Amino acid sequence: MIWSTLTPRRRGAGHTAPGGRAAQALRTSALATRRLHLGCGIESLGHGAKLLAGWTNVDIEGDGGRTFAWDLTDPFPLPDGSIDFVYSEHFIEHLTLADGAALLAECRRVLGPGGVVRLRPPDLRVLAARYLAGDVRGWHAQG
């Protein structure tokens, strides 16, 4: 596996236990910030992390301080209506259709009245143009 963020685990695989330390740390931060940044990246994987100040930055691995570990194919350990904003950039396209739909349903569940979800997938036109021009630098074979 090259990038663990790009290979979500099977739902319910036990990576993130609802009552465990990771859940408690994520819950504490998210209830304080009321903002979730999903799929923020992992610095040690070489492609870096994009951490947003004042947000709860979440990925499959975390340090419990600047980033919080959670398998985003599992339900959030948060109460209904407890979040104001959810942001994700270049992440949802790595999920299966079913896992993506479940993640969006979870985002809706935790959003409070007037809450906002903003997803920013890659620009397909830019990627296709680069591919057709033979520019595949930075693309990695998944194995």
Side-chain angles (χ1 to χ4, degrees):
M1 173 169 27
I2 294 175
W3 294 339
S4 61
T5 54
L6 303 184
T7 310
R9 291 171 172 85
R10 178 178 43 82
R11 180 173 302 285
H15 175 69
T16 46
R21 278 189 231 148
Q24 292 172 347
L26 174 59
R27 186 173 27 259
T28 299
S29 178
L31 293 177
T33 65
R34 297 188 57 89
R35 298 175 179 183
L36 292 175
H37 176 207
L38 307 179
C40 65
I42 302 169
E43 292 176 320
S44 64
L45 291 180
H47 61 283
K50 181 178 180 183
L51 305 180
L52 302 178
W55 290 68
T56 299
N57 297 286
V58 183
D59 213 304
I60 196 74
E61 296 176 14
D63 61 20
R66 296 175 349 140
T67 57
F68 296 87
W70 196 256
D71 184 337
L72 293 172
T73 65
D74 287 338
F76 297 125
L78 300 168
D80 296 356
S82 59
I83 300 296
D84 295 326
F85 300 101
V86 177
Y87 174 73
S88 184
E89 180 177 9
H90 296 239
F91 172 72
I92 197 162
E93 69 275 7
H94 300 287
L95 299 177
T96 65
L97 181 59
D99 284 342
L103 176 61
L104 292 176
E106 267 301 284
C107 290
R108 177 63 187 106
R109 181 186 69 77
V110 300
L111 278 179
V116 175
V117 173
R118 179 165 186 237
L119 302 178
R120 186 169 174 252
D123 186 334
L124 184 57
R125 281 182 264 194
V126 170
L127 293 175
R130 284 180 54 199
Y131 176 79
L132 292 171
D135 179 5
V136 293
R137 290 172 286 144
W139 295 21
H140 300 278
Q142 298 292 309

